[in-house]
Amino acid sequence: MSDLTTNKPGVVLTSVVRSVALALFAISVPVYVSGHGIAVVPAFVLALAHCACIPLLIRWPGIAIGVSSAAACALAVLAHGASDAAWPWSVPGLLTQLGVIAVAGWHGGWGRGLAAWLLSATVSVALVLALPVPVEDWGANLTVFASNSVLVLVVSVLAGQRSAIRAELTHARHRAELEQASRVLTQERSRIARELHDVVAHSMSVIQVQARSAAYRLPQLDDPTRREFDSIADATRTALAEMRQVLTVLRDQHAGTDVAPQPQLEDVADLVAAVTRAGAVARLHVDGDLTDEAITVPIGLTAYRIVQEALANAVRHAHGAPIDVSLDVMREELSVEVVNGPGLAGRPGDPLANGHGLVGMRERAALLGGRLRAESTADGGFLVRGTIPLTTGRW
């Protein structure tokens, strides 16, 4: 059964139930006092207990069913002997008990609804047997109660089951929509992986092959040029390996990122060395222990990627400029800084640059609670400084 308090229609129905209970209480007390000769205080207390059981059934069904039957029984006992009054079920008492049966059937199904009805019927029979009242005084009253209560029970249970089925269908449709969205996402990831492989991997493989075979195709090359081609081939091979990791994750969303060892902070030295072999003037400054246990795999990888992207930007946009890379491992945070001077005049930057690298660096730092600053320097160079809290690694 669906919970009446967990969806919008249920909230509306709960408000209606409370309003009905309040209205029944408002008319019950005057009827009990004036029509049945019950004192004001007992009429007020018992009517309040009886009517309050209608909304309380939603939260405490067992207690509410028992209290409603007890209150109805006490009211009938106090009203016994009143002339020209319906007995054992007065009009407000009958309406209130029908409300109890209706809410019990709607909210609890056949089991709870039958429990409320059977207890009400048991109270009715017990009152008739225990108190000396002629049959003509209670026969019609019990007939009305029995016919109306059975009808209310059946209708409320069927209506509650229909509401529960609708709620289940709504949840099933929502789950189907989520599964469909997941399938679409998986298909899109696979499509992106195929395009990356077709567009990028092939071209990079060609570059690697050409760079590696240059020494055999061009025997007149001198040693510095051969080393330059070897450096290009090594860098391309590394980029291909990392791209294959990305493609694996894109093809399978459940695949881990540990297809191959991830670069860490101590691998920054290899980055700087590769840039130096490519012809740039790059220097690495380290302050602190790069193997500190507080530098977890995510922190080390993030710092490595920031340096990697910053070096690529410096080489791409500031040809021939000196580059300084600083790593500072402090007690509470890791500081990464890459500064390059102005590029040589007449050497334009990469026209294909799209500015996504800085966005990616900021996102990587923010994921670990860090910050990243990227700005031009006074001498025309560029500064990238990122800080990552080491407390992230101790969670």
Side-chain angles (χ1 to χ4, degrees):
M1 285 294 170
S2 61
D3 192 342
L4 297 179
T5 62
T6 58
N7 50 69
K8 186 175 181 180
V11 172
V12 174
L13 183 60
T14 302
S15 301
V16 172
V17 167
R18 291 172 179 170
S19 301
V20 170
L22 184 61
L24 287 172
F25 173 71
I27 66 174
S28 294
V29 176
V31 172
Y32 288 137
V33 173
S34 60
H36 296 268
I38 303 176
V40 174
V41 175
F44 185 91
V45 173
L46 293 174
L48 177 62
H50 198 194
C51 296
C53 289
I54 299 177
L56 289 179
L57 267 163
I58 298 175
R59 184 66 64 87
W60 299 289
I63 296 175
I65 291 174
V67 171
S68 66
S69 299
C73 180
L75 287 168
V77 170
L78 293 177
H80 177 251
S83 60
D84 300 329
W87 191 89
W89 292 102
S90 64
V91 173
L94 175 62
L95 294 176
T96 303
Q97 197 64 20
L98 291 179
V100 170
I101 295 172
V103 175
W106 175 285
H107 192 256
W110 286 110
R112 197 171 296 165
L114 280 173
W117 184 86
L118 287 173
L119 193 55
S120 303
T122 301
V123 168
S124 304
V125 174
L127 287 170
V128 170
L129 295 177
L131 300 177
V133 179
V135 66
E136 58 269 17
D137 291 342
W138 56 261
N141 184 272
L142 287 190
T143 301
V144 172
F145 170 78
S147 59
N148 284 278
S149 60
V150 170
L151 178 62
V152 168
L153 172 63
V154 173
V155 172
S156 63
V157 170
L158 293 179
Q161 289 179 342
R162 182 175 181 272
S163 177
I165 292 172
R166 291 182 60 184
E168 290 174 0
L169 290 175
T170 300
H171 292 322
R173 183 165 58 249
H174 180 63
R175 288 194 299 268
E177 291 174 354
L178 292 178
E179 292 174 359
Q180 176 64 22
S182 178
R183 285 194 295 269
V184 171
L185 177 61
T186 301
Q187 293 171 358
E188 182 65 14
R189 291 161 67 101
S190 298
R191 184 187 66 81
I192 294 173
R194 288 194 301 270
E195 292 184 359
L196 277 174
H197 181 272
D198 295 341
V199 175
V200 181
H202 174 71
S203 299
M204 294 181 69
S205 298
V206 172
I207 294 173
Q208 181 189 10
V209 172
Q210 289 179 334
R212 189 64 71 187
S213 62
Y216 304 98
R217 293 182 291 103
L218 305 172
Q220 70 276 17
L221 294 178
D222 54 17
D223 289 340
T225 306
R226 292 173 184 270
R227 288 194 297 271
E228 183 71 19
F229 276 114
D230 289 339
S231 177
I232 294 173
D234 293 338
T236 306
R237 185 176 62 254
T238 301
L240 274 172
E242 294 184 358
M243 194 181 70
R244 288 191 185 99
Q245 290 180 299
V246 176
L247 293 179
T248 300
V249 175
L250 284 175
R251 289 192 179 105
D252 182 6
Q253 60 181 338
H254 301 295
T257 57
D258 54 348
V259 178
Q262 293 285 349
Q264 288 297 298
L265 195 59
E266 55 266 29
D267 298 322
V268 169
D270 296 333
L271 278 178
V272 175
V275 171
T276 302
R277 290 194 300 270
V281 180
R283 298 178 293 268
L284 175 63
H285 310 277
V286 177
D287 187 4
D289 183 10
L290 299 185
T291 60
D292 191 319
E293 63 178 7
I295 304 176
T296 60
V297 172
I299 293 176
L301 179 60
T302 297
Y304 179 91
R305 295 302 185 197
I306 291 174
V307 174
Q308 185 182 42
E309 183 63 29
L311 286 174
N313 287 341
V315 172
R316 184 184 302 121
H317 300 291
H319 299 284
I323 307 171
D324 288 295
V325 179
S326 301
L327 302 176
D328 188 3
V329 182
M330 293 174 281
R331 179 177 178 81
E332 298 294 334
E333 66 181 14
L334 168 65
S335 175
V336 179
E337 181 178 285
V338 180
V339 185
N340 63 267
L344 298 177
R347 299 290 299 277
D350 186 354
L352 298 179
N354 52 24
H356 291 171
L358 293 177
V359 175
M361 286 191 286
R362 287 193 177 95
E363 290 176 349
R364 284 181 178 274
L367 283 174
L368 297 178
R371 306 178 304 278
L372 188 129
R373 195 178 86 193
E375 59 188 11
S376 299
T377 59
D379 61 354
F382 201 78
L383 164 70
V384 173
R385 176 179 292 132
T387 56
I388 304 172
L390 294 183
T391 53
T392 303
R394 299 189 178 99
W395 291 352

